Amino acid sequence: MSRRIVIAGAGVAGATAAKTLRAAGYTGRIVLVGAEHHGPYRRPMVSKDLLANPDAAARSLLESEGSWAERDIDLRLATTVADIDTDRRRVWLSSSEALDYDSLLLATGAQARRLEHHHHQPMRVRTLRGVADVEPLRAAIASGPLLIVGAGLVGLEVAATARGLGASVRVLHAGSAPLDRIVPPQISDLVRDLHAEHDVLIDNDVRLAGLEQIDSEGVVATVADGRTWHACSALVAIGASPDTALARTAGIAVDNGIIVDEQFRTSAPGVFAAGDCANVFTPHRDRHERSEHWNSAQAQGAAAAKAMLGQPITGIDVPWGWSSQYGLSLQFAGWPHPHDELVVRGSIEARNFTALALTDGALVGAVAVGRPKDIRAARALIAAGAVRPGSEWADESVDLVAPEPVPLPMRG
């Protein structure tokens, strides 16, 4: 049998793994299987550039159409891995074709969460996860006022994009503040004010009792105390759930994602997982963690490819991401927590700052506006486990320069 690696999922984790395998010298067959009709693309553009501009589709592609064939990567679009026999190391595709594999990478990503009471989503209630969702949402925005459920990254980016397209927007959020899962309260306030300046109100602590289509013209959201909000259409943006159905059916261990070790190995021999679907063991934090950030999925895809080839994985992947709203770029890194000590370099009010989250003097997270160099330095400092007095972290005359990283022992 000729050598073959099969990759289930053609998002950034799967696509990066395929490219890394070739760059690392793998000469066997690579089959990259993607459920979408589009070639691998930059998913963060969905809520911003692609929604705002239909002509941005070509710019969103990770690679030109012909580059996959040039790398001798067999890209199968509009196809899924339907079943896995982990004992025989064989998969069946949705086309009924069976493929044997030496290694299998599960990069199945995540699915947009829906409201609990939505067994069948009303026609005027949308979710946004991929390219196929963009045109229907753009049409909904053009039809009249938009109601957005959720003030996370996707919800707020769509709110900003929709305002740029001239729509009236209202945001309902179950949490206590916008972006409360990834930024401290002071920065949540900045985000709230930014949207208010563009006539977008964010209602916090709203736990919906219902979101229904009332007729062919609109939707209504209700809460138990009797308050209601009306709009022409609604977007539900309440996060994503890891797509673990394939792994679960195959008997692979699953718990808030596909469980993998620091080498991205699942509980089944020869099967690896990476990206939004993977719950990865992080040695220096001594826990499993799942990230939904684009950059983490990209880094995990590259690392999993090396692991499949038996090559060592070194260093720590400190998650980081960004959000663009009304021309303001918010960047974040690490694992900030609401109870961390917060040290601010610059001015949040002036929207030029770096906010550092500290635990016992150690840098564990950072959020910045207008200071991309600080975020790059912060990621290195977090990875190195840097500890400094709070006064030194706050002193802008002291550059955020990381010390030499300390090599960490790797298991397995």
Side-chain angles (χ1 to χ4, degrees):
M1 182 182 72
S2 61
R3 294 185 302 156
R4 180 190 287 126
I5 291 177
V6 176
I7 301 173
V12 67
T16 300
K19 293 193 294 182
T20 302
L21 287 168
R22 281 289 181 248
Y26 179 72
T27 58
R29 290 191 62 194
I30 301 172
V31 182
L32 177 59
V33 182
E36 297 183 82
H37 289 77
H38 305 270
Y41 60 92
R42 295 173 176 82
R43 195 174 299 275
M45 292 179 66
V46 165
S47 57
K48 301 182 282 289
D49 309 65
L50 288 175
L51 185 59
N53 180 10
D55 297 329
R59 298 199 309 273
S60 73
L61 293 176
L62 286 176
E63 299 286 344
S64 64
E65 186 175 341
S67 69
W68 301 103
E70 290 171 5
R71 288 185 170 95
D72 195 22
I73 294 171
D74 184 1
L75 175 60
R76 310 282 188 94
L77 298 178
T79 306
T80 60
V81 173
D83 199 6
I84 308 169
D85 185 331
T86 58
D87 293 328
R88 297 167 67 187
R89 296 202 178 198
R90 178 173 294 176
V91 298
W92 286 265
L93 305 185
S94 54
S95 61
S96 298
E97 181 181 1
L99 297 174
D100 294 325
Y101 63 83
D102 297 301
S103 296
L104 169 66
L105 176 64
L106 300 179
T108 46
Q111 298 175 330
R113 286 196 180 100
R114 298 188 177 190
L115 295 172
E116 290 182 2
H117 55 277
H118 275 173
H119 301 294
H120 301 286
Q121 186 162 282
M123 184 175 62
R124 286 185 171 269
V125 178
R126 307 285 179 185
T127 56
L128 180 65
R129 183 66 190 171
V131 168
D133 302 319
V134 170
E135 185 55 40
L137 179 57
R138 191 187 299 118
I141 290 170
S143 70
L146 176 69
L147 190 65
I148 297 177
V149 180
L153 289 174
V154 171
L156 294 182
E157 287 173 356
V158 171
T161 303
R163 284 298 295 135
L165 294 172
S168 172
V169 181
R170 188 73 172 259
V171 179
L172 308 180
H173 184 46
S176 59
L179 297 183
D180 50 356
R181 289 179 56 194
I182 60 173
V183 301
Q186 299 93 318
I187 301 170
S188 291
D189 292 344
L190 179 156
V191 172
R192 177 203 62 208
D193 294 345
L194 177 66
H195 281 267
E197 290 165 11
H198 291 82
D199 298 320
V200 174
L201 293 182
I202 302 172
D203 295 293
N204 298 311
D205 300 310
V206 175
R207 290 166 178 80
L208 293 183
L211 175 62
E212 307 297 338
Q213 185 165 317
I214 51 176
D215 52 37
S216 61
E217 301 300 323
V219 295
V220 60
T222 60
V223 293
D225 62 12
R227 286 178 294 163
T228 62
W229 293 265
H230 292 78
C232 286
S233 56
L235 172 72
V236 175
I238 54 174
S241 301
D243 189 346
T244 60
L246 180 62
R248 194 184 299 273
T249 301
I252 296 170
V254 169
D255 182 12
N256 184 33
I258 302 168
I259 297 294
V260 298
D261 63 14
E262 63 268 36
Q263 299 289 325
F264 298 92
R265 297 173 294 206
T266 72
S267 60
V271 182
F272 299 74
D276 292 1
C277 68
N279 195 355
V280 185
F281 183 73
T282 308
H284 77 288
R285 288 169 63 80
D286 196 29
R287 68 180 74 173
H288 280 83
E289 296 178 314
R290 192 173 68 83
S291 173
E292 295 178 4
H293 297 313
W294 162 268
N295 298 292
S296 291
Q298 188 175 42
Q300 289 182 18
K306 293 179 180 179
M308 286 190 286
L309 297 180
Q311 298 179 5
I313 301 173
T314 58
I316 299 170
D317 174 36
V318 176
W320 71 283
W322 75 96
S323 178
S324 178
Q325 302 171 34
Y326 309 109
L328 182 142
S329 181
L330 181 74
Q331 295 182 299
F332 44 87
W335 300 273
H337 188 277
H339 298 303
D340 293 331
E341 177 188 358
L342 193 69
V343 171
V344 178
R345 298 162 66 97
S347 169
I348 294 177
E349 293 74 16
R351 297 176 185 175
N352 188 318
F353 67 90
T354 301
L356 304 175
L358 309 177
T359 299
D360 298 325
L363 183 62
V364 295
V367 183
V369 169
R371 301 187 176 200
K373 290 183 180 179
D374 281 3
I375 288 294
R376 287 194 293 270
R379 290 184 68 219
L381 286 160
I382 294 167
V387 178
R388 297 177 183 173
S391 57
E392 186 174 323
W393 286 119
D395 187 352
E396 292 203 73
S397 69
V398 179
D399 289 337
L400 289 179
V401 178
E404 289 297 319
V406 177
L408 295 176
M410 303 297 291
R411 299 187 307 167

